[in-house]
Amino acid sequence: MSLQKIALYLNCARIFALPVTILPWFVIFIYSYINSGNILYGLIALVGLCFAHLGANLLDDYFDYKFLIKQVNFDKEEYLKNSQKTKCRYLINGVMSEKDLFLLACKYFLAAFLVGLFLFFKCGIGVLYFGLIGAFVAVLYSFASRYCLAELMLFIAYGPAIFGGVYYVMCGTYSWNVFWLSLPT
């Protein structure tokens, strides 16, 4: 695979948005480290979280595009002039097909799943619970945003889900303190 293709895949997935995942991860990583957490598992969790985030961005674009093109008054040229530089743009201008986008999202999710599977075998059943929460948010986010519930999904994903999941893989337990810590972050 060429570097240009890799750059395209990362740009379409909005890699520049990864600090949204990395910053809350860093907070709970440090907290877990202070509580004798496993550093390696925390770092591995970050890799899985980043893959899940990139996949969720692509899946969101996929569903948004499907919704967008169904609108009667959709004008491709007008949309390209007024849209965000990355949101669905690569679909509308034909750089990537819907099928390619969906398959790329599936590849990112597969990578996240494999990381989660590794952590499941190393850390236990709690990984499954937090993984299911993440999958729920990733799949439903685009639909929730149409009903003004996007912020609720983001709150769940970047608050209790990341905090609880990372703490669980690093420390092997659940903690109400972690939940409370996730709220302001």
Side-chain angles (χ1 to χ4, degrees), residues 78-164:
E78 191 64 28
Y79 182 84
L80 287 173
K81 282 192 281 187
N82 297 315
S83 71
Q84 296 178 40
K85 294 239 183 278
T86 54
K87 187 83 168 138
C88 298
R89 194 173 188 82
Y90 51 89
L91 285 168
I92 294 168
N93 64 18
V95 171
M96 188 178 285
S97 72
E98 290 178 54
K99 179 183 173 187
D100 291 339
L101 171 72
F102 188 78
L103 289 174
L104 182 57
C106 289
K107 288 176 185 178
Y108 281 126
F109 286 136
L110 176 61
F113 173 78
L114 292 174
V115 169
L117 193 61
F118 171 81
L119 290 171
F120 171 78
F121 286 118
K122 292 294 187 179
C123 304
I125 191 76
V127 174
L128 175 64
Y129 303 143
F130 290 107
L132 288 174
I133 292 168
F136 174 78
V137 169
V139 170
L140 294 181
Y141 173 79
S142 187
F143 302 104
S145 66
R146 290 188 184 84
Y147 298 101
C148 300
L149 296 173
E151 272 61 20
L152 175 63
M153 292 291 167
L154 294 174
F155 163 76
I156 292 168
Y158 296 109
I162 282 182
F163 277 67

Side-chain angles (χ1 to χ4, degrees), residues 4-140:
Q4 287 179 322
K5 195 154 201 132
I6 292 170
L8 171 68
Y9 289 168
L10 293 173
N11 189 42
C12 292
R14 298 191 297 272
I15 192 169
F16 57 83
L18 280 182
V20 172
T21 295
I22 295 168
L23 293 173
W25 167 86
F26 185 70
V27 171
I28 192 58
F29 177 82
I30 295 300
Y31 181 83
S32 300
Y33 172 74
I34 290 169
N35 287 287
S36 303
N38 184 311
I39 294 171
L40 178 62
Y41 291 166
L43 293 171
I44 292 170
L46 174 62
V47 172
L49 290 167
C50 288
F51 279 127
H53 183 163
L54 296 173
N57 284 348
L58 290 170
L59 196 60
D60 179 46
D61 282 1
Y62 177 80
F63 289 124
D64 282 353
Y65 179 74
K66 289 283 204 186
F67 180 75
L68 183 66
I69 61 173
K70 288 181 181 177
Q71 295 178 7
V72 176
N73 60 353
F74 176 68
D75 178 356
K76 184 187 280 192
E77 299 304 320
E78 191 64 28
Y79 182 84
L80 287 173
K81 282 192 281 187
N82 297 315
S83 71
Q84 296 178 40
K85 294 239 183 278
T86 54
K87 187 83 168 138
C88 298
R89 194 173 188 82
Y90 51 89
L91 285 168
I92 294 168
N93 64 18
V95 171
M96 188 178 285
S97 72
E98 290 178 54
K99 179 183 173 187
D100 291 339
L101 171 72
F102 188 78
L103 289 174
L104 182 57
C106 289
K107 288 176 185 178
Y108 281 126
F109 286 136
L110 176 61
F113 173 78
L114 292 174
V115 169
L117 193 61
F118 171 81
L119 290 171
F120 171 78
F121 286 118
K122 292 294 187 179
C123 304
I125 191 76
V127 174
L128 175 64
Y129 303 143
F130 290 107
L132 288 174
I133 292 168
F136 174 78
V137 169
V139 170
L140 294 181

